[in-house]
Amino acid sequence: MKAKYYIGIMSGTSLDGVDVALVDFMPVQPKLIAADFTPMPEDLRVKITALVQSGKTDLQQLGELDHQLGLLYANCVNNFLQSRQILAEDIEAIGCHGQTVWHSPQGKFPFTMQIGDMNLVAAHTGITTVGDFRRKDMALGGQGAPLVPAFHQAVFSDSNYATAVLNIGGISNVSLLLPDQPIIGFDIGPGNTLLDQWIEKHQGVSYDKNGEWAATGQVNEVLLNNLLDELFFRQTAPKSTGRELFNLSWLTAKIEKTQEKTTALLPQDVQATLAEFTARTISDSLNIDTALPKRLLVCGGGAKNALIMQRLKHHLPQWAIYTTNDFEMDSDYVEAAAFAWLAYRRIYNQSGNLPEVTGAKSAVSLGAIFPKP
């Protein structure tokens, strides 16, 4: 049976780089065939980080970043295919999430903005490309996020278990797959984003490998409680968030409030507290009443953070905790594979959102199609 290949592209809130996943949909159950990672060029990372943190730019820079990201995505795909001796005509379509620079689902005029020109991706790869996945859901009153729970259901659901699929990326999000019940999915809060921003500020590196620096510090309970004291955590699903809220300015305000009540905080103590904060917000979100055995499948960069995984096991003793690697899906590429799946669904005009997750009025096929030249 001939393969039905789709490519998924994801560059997340961590801004570390571009994930490319090759997924086969023949037979229909999606199977991850190969994947690769390309680091984000430093000049591009710096510019996007400044834009995301400040929310300010000018039209010239925004247009140039949109163009640069389109070329980057196209080059990642071309290099991926060339290294594996796969022809562009063997790929039915690319699903590219684009780079989120602002996500504002609340307010009078809700919107989300992902940049990366999909016209350039289609033109430079010679492959039909699907992008702009979130805005149709928002047009129907949804949050536009999270979109991966439907993919999680297709790949990981099991009638014998209460399954939670947890992605610890820049932002943590979870899908709760309970047999014979509607899927629940929502953004939990910061995953790696504050950890990454804090260590870059104090250590000059982009992430805390294995949570090693955090492990040298002590959790400050006053700071932890201040971090947890945020309206977002008291909101009910559907809900989504990003670096628009959880950024260094937010963290600095929480630290200043803490220092009014305690001694000076060491940088490594803040990092230790942030790791515990990530674990606590996740565990607090998994309060499920069920007689079924519980299993938690972790993916994303946080799956490699030994300290966070250790703290999850501490806080969730009733859950069997795995990574998606144990279920034939590389934990680094689950989200990229999800956008290959969403592209497949769009090409065949099948729904990609779950209204019970996003809050949209109806299920709908997501994404705009940019045909190959």
Side-chain angles (χ1 to χ4, degrees):
M1 189 176 293
K2 187 177 186 297
K4 190 181 289 288
Y5 286 153
Y6 283 71
I7 283 176
I9 303 174
M10 182 69 190
S11 59
T13 54
S14 62
L15 295 172
D16 57 344
V18 179
D19 295 328
V20 175
L22 178 67
V23 181
D24 187 6
F25 288 87
M26 188 61 70
V28 176
Q29 181 72 4
K31 182 178 181 182
L32 180 61
I33 302 300
D36 205 358
F37 172 78
T38 301
M40 184 73 70
E42 183 61 17
D43 63 329
L44 197 54
R45 188 186 74 84
V46 169
K47 291 176 183 177
I48 297 172
T49 298
L51 169 58
V52 170
Q53 289 181 345
S54 69
K56 297 178 181 179
T57 187
D58 57 55
L59 291 176
Q60 182 70 29
Q61 183 185 51
L62 185 63
E64 289 179 358
L65 289 175
D66 185 53
H67 190 106
Q68 287 177 273
L69 279 165
L71 292 180
L72 175 63
Y73 295 144
N75 289 337
C76 288
V77 170
N78 289 334
N79 293 336
F80 177 85
L81 295 178
Q82 184 177 7
S83 67
R84 288 162 177 79
Q85 297 183 318
I86 300 172
L87 299 176
E89 49 261 40
D90 293 332
I91 308 299
E92 302 227 349
I94 294 168
C96 184
H97 173 267
Q99 181 63 56
T100 298
V101 293
W102 207 258
H103 184 67
S104 182
Q106 308 295 338
K108 185 177 180 180
F109 302 106
F111 74 96
T112 188
M113 182 177 291
Q114 288 76 40
I115 61 174
D117 189 345
M118 300 302 145
N119 295 284
L120 288 171
V121 178
H124 285 258
T125 62
I127 302 170
T128 294
T129 300
V130 184
D132 193 12
F133 287 98
R134 299 190 182 276
R135 292 198 294 174
K136 179 63 70 68
D137 182 88
M138 294 190 74
L140 292 170
Q143 295 266 321
L147 297 182
V148 293
F151 175 71
H152 292 161
Q153 180 188 41
V155 176
F156 298 117
S157 62
D158 188 317
S159 60
N160 297 310
Y161 294 91
T163 301
V165 184
L166 169 67
N167 173 61
I168 311 178
I171 298 296
S172 294
N173 55 68
V174 69
S175 304
L176 303 178
L177 313 175
L178 306 179
D180 302 318
Q181 293 188 35
I183 295 175
I184 301 169
F186 52 90
D187 284 352
I188 294 171
N192 300 316
T193 184
L194 294 175
L195 288 159
D196 293 347
Q197 293 177 63
W198 188 254
I199 196 172
E200 183 170 18
K201 177 179 179 179
H202 290 276
Q203 299 286 307
V205 295
S206 58
Y207 71 104
D208 189 0
K209 185 177 180 181
N210 298 322
E212 292 172 358
W213 188 46
T216 67
Q218 298 292 323
V219 174
N220 184 289
E221 293 294 336
V222 178
L223 176 58
L224 178 61
N225 290 331
N226 283 335
L227 296 174
L228 291 168
D229 184 22
E230 178 62 45
L231 177 61
F232 178 80
F233 301 119
R234 298 190 291 275
Q235 294 174 354
T236 57
K239 61 178 181 176
S240 56
T241 191
R243 287 175 62 154
E244 305 78 27
L245 172 60
F246 295 110
N247 51 44
L248 281 181
S249 296
W250 179 86
L251 177 58
T252 299
K254 295 290 187 179
I255 291 172
E256 289 174 352
K257 183 178 179 181
T258 300
Q259 289 176 331
E260 296 172 0
K261 300 178 181 179
T262 187
T263 57
L265 289 164
L266 297 174
Q268 61 267 33
D269 292 342
V270 174
Q271 189 77 352
T273 307
L274 289 172
E276 182 68 7
F277 173 53
T278 292
R280 271 286 305 276
T281 52
I282 291 168
S283 62
D284 289 349
S285 299
L286 295 177
N287 184 20
I288 300 171
D289 184 16
T290 177
L292 289 170
K294 301 175 184 178
R295 60 179 194 174
L296 176 63
L297 284 53
V298 186
C299 59
K304 294 182 177 179
N305 187 309
L307 180 59
I308 289 177
M309 293 296 287
Q310 174 190 331
R311 297 308 296 164
L312 286 177
K313 291 175 182 177
H314 170 80
H315 288 299
L316 297 168
Q318 302 303 316
W319 290 77
I321 299 180
Y322 308 90
T323 71
T324 57
N325 295 339
D326 299 311
F327 295 82
E328 300 183 351
M329 183 70 69
D330 190 317
S331 62
D332 284 334
Y333 299 103
V334 174
E335 287 220 323
F339 282 91
W341 182 83
L342 285 165
Y344 170 84
R345 302 282 291 183
R346 180 66 187 94
I347 293 298
Y348 288 91
N349 202 31
Q350 298 173 352
S351 62
N353 65 331
L354 294 171
E356 61 268 34
V357 170
T358 66
K361 296 174 184 175
S362 63
V364 66
S365 187
L366 302 176
I369 299 174
F370 298 80
K372 63 184 178 182

